[in-house]
Amino acid sequence: MATAHVYKRDNVNTDEIIPARYLNTDDPAELATHCMEDLDKDFMNKCKPGDVVVCGDDFGCGSSREHAVWAIKGAQVKAVIAQSFARIFFRNCINCGFYPIELKDAVNLINDGDDIDIDLVNGVIKNNTQGKDIKFNPLPEFAINIIDNGGLLKHISKKQ
Amino acid sequence: MPMTITEKIFAAHCGENEVKPGQLIEAEVDIMMCHDVTTPPAISMLKNAGIPPIFDPDRIVATPDHFQPAKDIKSAELLKRFDTWCRENNLKHYYPVGKAGVCHALLPEQGHIRPGEIIVGGDSHTCTYGALGAFSSGVGSTDLAAAIATGSLWFRVPESMKITLKGSLKHGVFSKDIVLDVIRQIGTDGARYMAMEYVGDTLAELSMESRMTITNMAIEAGGKNAIMAVDDTVREYLKGRLKNDAPYNEYQSDPDAEYASFVEVDCDKLEPLVALPHLPSNGKPIGEVKGMAMDQCYIGSCTNGRIEDLRLAAQIMKGKQVAIRTIIVPATPDIWAAALKEGLLQIFYDAGCVVSAPTCGACLGGFMGVLAAGDKCISSTNRNFVGRMGHPESEVYLASPATAAASAIEGKLTDPRPYLN
Ligand code: SF4
C-alpha cells in the first residue's frame, strides 16, 4: 500500500529534487527535509514512508548530484516511476541500490493519490484504486545484481 | 566494423577490438576529477565499505570549486573533509584554495586532459573535456568512489549523434550561440544517453576555449559525452601543457561509422540567442527578446568564464558603465592572473562590476551573487532551471558573454553586435 504522488511534468531536474543551496551537507535525513522543495513545497508534508513518486519524461536531468537520490531515499520514498530517466540519475539510482521504474505513459496510467503496490520481481504495478495491473519492463540483469547486492560499492567488495 | 571516436576509445579501454552501442563494458578510467561537493560523500562511502580506498592516487585530480573559499560553516566542514583526504593521500594533483578553480576550466588548462583517454568526474559538466578528443562523462558519488577504488567503471557504450557545424559564425555570434541552438533544436533530452559528436568546417575556426563551451553543455541535451576529433588547434593547445607528455592517441571516426541521428547547425545564419527560463532549450534570437529588463549580469562558470570570455566582456564594457549588478568570475587563478595582467580587471572595475575569486559561486546558487525572488539574471552559465541561481522565483537567462556584457550595460537584454564594431 503506497500512495502515488503524480507530477505531470517532464524534465524534473535535480535542482528541483534537491536545490543546490542544500548541497553543503550529504546527510540523507537532512537532505530529505528539502526533498522536491522547488517542485512542490508541500511534498514532505504529503509524503509518507513507502510512498511513490510518479513523473513524466527525463526525470532527474541536470546535475550529477547523487544527493538527489539520497534525498528521495532519505524521505523514505519507495520508488520513482517515470516515463524515462536522465542518464546520470538512472545510474545513481542503481548504484545506490534504488530501483528506477521506467513506465510508458506513467502519468496517465496512475492518478495523483492512487493506491498502488509494486512487484519488482514480476515487473507489475498494481493500481488498487483503479483495479488495474500494469506491467513494466524490468531492468537488465546486470543492474538488478548491483541493486540486489545493495549498490555498486557492496557489489564491488563482493567481487574482490 | 567501423566505429566512432567514442566507440574506439571504449574498445581501447576494455581490451576489445571493437564495441558497439548498447554493450555493457568494464573500462579503465585514466583520470578521476574530484571536487568539494560530490567527493566527500564518496570518501565516506569508501571508508564505510571497507574497500581499499585508492587504486592509483596519480590518476586523481582534485580541486574544491563549488563552495570555495568556504561560503558558510557547513561548506567549510565539507571543504575540510576534502582537504584532509587529499593531503592524507598525498595527491600529486591537488589544487587547494589559492590554486583551485572551476574544475572543468582547470583540468584542461593545467594539462590533465589527454586525447583518447577516459575521464570521469563527480560533476555533470565533466563532458567538457570531449573538446580535446577524450571520452569524459559526469558520474555520481558512488561511481566516483568505485572508480577511485578500482581504476575502472562499468559503462554502456552509447549511440552516437552526429552534429555538423557548417558555415562561419557572423560577427557577434559565438560558440555559446551554437550550443544553445543545438539544444533548442533537439530539446533537453534530445541526446539522452548519447555521444554527441561534433564535426564540420566551422570547428576549424573555433578556438580551444570556445569548443569547450560547446562540449560543456552536452549534458543540457541529456548527452553522455560530447566529442570532437583532434586537430591542429588541439595539438597546439596541448603543446608544453600536458602533465604527462607521453604520446597520446588521436582517434577519428570511420567514414562509415553508424550514427543514431543527425543534427545540423548553419552557422552563417545563426544569431545571438538567449535561453529563457527555465530550460536551456528555450533559446530565442536576441531580436525577439531584447528590451526585457534584467537585475543582474553574471559572467563566469565552466561554460564561459575563460580568458577569451573575459576579453570579450571587457571589450564591450571598456569605457562604459554597467546599469545593473554585474559579477565577473574568472574560472581559474591563471585566468584571473591573465585578466589582471591584460588590464581587464581594471576595465571591469571602471565599469562598476564586482570581480570575484575563481569559484562556482552563484552559477549553482551557492554564493557570490545569489538571486532574490523576482530577480532576473542574464548569465553566461549553462543552466536556467527553477532556483538554479537562488530563489525559486528568480529567473536565469542564458547567453554568450558578449550578450551578457551588452545587457549589463543597458540593464536589459541587448544585442551585442552593435557593441562589437
Ligand atoms: S561553474 Fe557551474 S556548472 Fe560549472 S561546475 Fe561549477 S556549478 Fe557546475
Side-chain angles (χ1 to χ4, degrees):
Chain A
M1 277 249 313
T3 304
H5 302 281
V6 181
Y7 297 93
K8 289 204 169 195
R9 261 281 311 277
D10 296 335
N11 314 112
V12 169
N13 62 68
T14 51
D15 278 279
E16 290 171 290
I17 300 170
I18 183 72
R21 54 186 179 275
Y22 305 121
L23 294 184
N24 52 10
T25 178
D26 55 356
D27 173 23
E30 193 176 338
L31 290 169
T33 59
H34 304 292
C35 186
M36 303 285 195
E37 191 171 293
D38 284 358
L39 175 68
D40 175 5
K41 260 202 214 85
D42 223 23
F43 178 77
M44 283 308 287
N45 296 327
K46 295 192 262 192
C47 182
K48 300 182 307 301
D51 279 0
V52 169
V53 172
V54 181
C55 270
D57 280 307
D58 202 29
F59 185 83
C61 63
S63 135
S64 68
R65 63 187 73 146
E66 210 163 299
H67 306 64
V69 182
W70 304 331
I72 291 173
K73 278 183 86 174
Q76 298 186 54
V77 168
K78 183 176 166 198
V80 175
I81 303 172
Q83 293 177 180
S84 64
F85 288 91
R87 185 188 68 81
I88 304 178
F89 183 87
F90 187 77
R91 243 187 116 96
N92 286 345
C93 285
I94 293 167
N95 287 341
C96 289
F98 186 76
Y99 204 118
I101 298 175
E102 220 162 32
L103 177 69
K104 253 200 186 138
D105 213 24
V107 299
N108 296 317
L109 293 169
I110 304 169
N111 291 327
D112 194 41
D114 277 1
D115 172 47
I116 62 174
D117 284 308
I118 301 173
D119 177 349
L120 288 179
V121 182
N122 297 308
V124 179
I125 298 165
K126 278 183 167 310
N127 189 328
N128 302 321
T129 307
Q130 302 184 24
K132 287 192 298 209
D133 281 2
I134 310 161
K135 281 225 155 248
F136 64 90
N137 281 338
L139 289 173
E141 206 182 302
F142 173 80
I144 292 181
N145 273 338
I146 296 178
I147 293 176
D148 285 350
N149 281 332
L152 183 64
L153 288 181
K154 289 194 185 135
H155 181 74
I156 289 173
S157 53
K158 255 194 191 163
K159 273 205 307 195
Q160 279 180 342
Chain B
M1 200 186 81
M3 289 193 285
T4 64
I5 308 178
T6 300
E7 288 154 11
K8 287 183 184 180
I9 296 177
F10 272 130
H13 282 75
C14 71
E16 303 280 343
N17 288 328
E18 55 177 52
V19 297
K20 42 177 192 303
Q23 195 175 334
L24 290 167
I25 57 161
E26 176 99 23
E28 281 274 302
V29 175
D30 298 295
I31 297 285
M32 300 100 193
M33 190 287 294
C34 292
H35 70 48
D36 52 329
V37 169
T38 55
T39 307
I43 301 166
S44 308
M45 286 175 195
L46 287 172
K47 276 196 187 127
N48 297 340
I51 30 187
I54 299 187
F55 180 78
D56 177 3
D58 290 355
R59 291 196 200 178
I60 297 173
V61 184
T63 181
D65 57 0
H66 280 56
F67 298 142
Q68 76 88 28
K71 84 171 178 97
D72 55 18
I73 295 172
K74 276 190 189 162
S75 318
E77 277 161 5
L78 212 53
L79 287 162
K80 192 170 179 175
R81 276 161 69 193
F82 185 69
D83 181 75
T84 307
W85 178 76
C86 293
R87 289 182 196 281
E88 275 177 356
N89 290 289
N90 292 316
L91 297 187
K92 194 158 89 191
H93 308 303
Y94 172 39
Y95 294 84
V97 176
K99 303 271 181 254
V102 173
C103 52
H104 309 309
L106 190 79
L107 266 70
E109 173 198 278
Q110 295 297 321
H112 292 289
I113 307 302
R114 290 162 46 84
E117 297 206 331
I118 292 186
I119 301 103
V120 298
D123 191 280
S124 61
H125 292 102
T126 304
C127 49
T128 310
Y129 317 140
L132 294 140
F135 172 87
S136 62
S137 193
V139 296
S141 298
T142 303
D143 271 327
L144 185 64
I148 290 172
T150 65
S152 65
L153 208 57
W154 68 272
F155 294 95
R156 182 184 165 281
V157 178
E159 284 79 20
S160 287
M161 168 186 276
K162 189 185 224 171
I163 302 158
T164 307
L165 308 182
K166 52 174 220 189
S168 292
L169 286 176
K170 292 284 164 293
H171 185 67
V173 187
F174 300 92
S175 68
K176 180 65 157 286
D177 301 304
I178 294 180
V179 70
L180 288 176
D181 185 60
V182 170
I183 302 166
R184 171 174 74 153
Q185 286 193 44
I186 65 177
T188 53
D189 60 354
R192 211 157 46 90
Y193 295 88
M194 287 179 152
M196 300 172 76
E197 185 173 322
Y198 283 89
V199 300
D201 298 340
T202 319
L203 276 181
E205 296 175 7
L206 300 179
S207 69
M208 208 52 251
E209 289 160 324
S210 44
R211 294 180 191 191
M212 287 193 264
T213 301
I214 296 177
T215 48
N216 174 268
M217 290 188 70
I219 183 69
E220 263 54 71
K224 178 171 190 144
N225 68 312
I227 194 120
M228 295 173 180
V230 175
D231 65 359
D232 282 342
T233 304
V234 178
R235 290 181 203 112
E236 207 42 51
Y237 180 83
L238 294 175
K239 238 180 238 163
R241 191 185 289 267
L242 287 178
K243 288 280 185 293
N244 163 5
D245 56 8
Y248 49 78
N249 290 317
E250 293 182 9
Y251 295 103
Q252 305 281 341
S253 290
D254 294 321
D256 43 356
E258 276 203 31
Y259 294 89
S261 58
F262 298 85
V263 173
E264 220 179 71
V265 179
D266 188 349
C267 294
D268 283 324
K269 296 210 183 102
L270 209 57
E271 288 188 65
L273 294 176
V274 178
L276 307 186
H278 292 285
L279 285 175
S281 55
N282 286 342
K284 298 275 180 270
I286 183 71
E288 285 178 25
V289 294
K290 67 178 181 211
M292 194 185 289
M294 294 287 120
D295 301 287
Q296 177 170 308
C297 166
Y298 186 93
I299 297 175
S301 87
C302 56
T303 315
N304 282 120
R306 298 186 178 85
I307 190 68
E308 194 179 276
D309 305 316
L310 302 189
R311 281 185 197 133
L312 191 57
Q315 186 190 339
I316 291 174
M317 289 182 184
K318 190 166 186 184
K320 305 204 172 58
Q321 284 294 308
V322 294
I324 49 176
R325 322 188 277 274
T326 298
I327 297 153
I328 313 275
V329 191
T332 69
D334 281 8
I335 296 169
W336 193 97
L340 174 72
K341 204 166 146 207
E342 294 178 20
L344 310 184
L345 301 188
Q346 184 71 43
I347 294 173
F348 295 136
Y349 164 80
D350 290 339
C353 308
V354 175
V355 181
S356 132
T359 180
C360 289
C363 168
L364 82 161
F367 63 134
M368 206 60 81
V370 172
L371 303 176
D375 272 354
K376 292 184 186 347
C377 178
I378 175 78
S379 179
S380 77
T381 55
N382 47 41
R383 285 194 179 130
N384 55 354
F385 297 155
V386 171
R388 173 69 181 180
M389 292 186 71
H391 195 280
E393 283 156 33
S394 61
E395 293 182 351
V396 179
Y397 296 71
L398 305 175
S400 74
T403 303
S407 303
I409 291 165
E410 304 230 347
K412 55 191 187 208
L413 295 182
T414 300
D415 191 332
R417 287 172 289 195
Y419 281 86
L420 285 164
N421 286 325

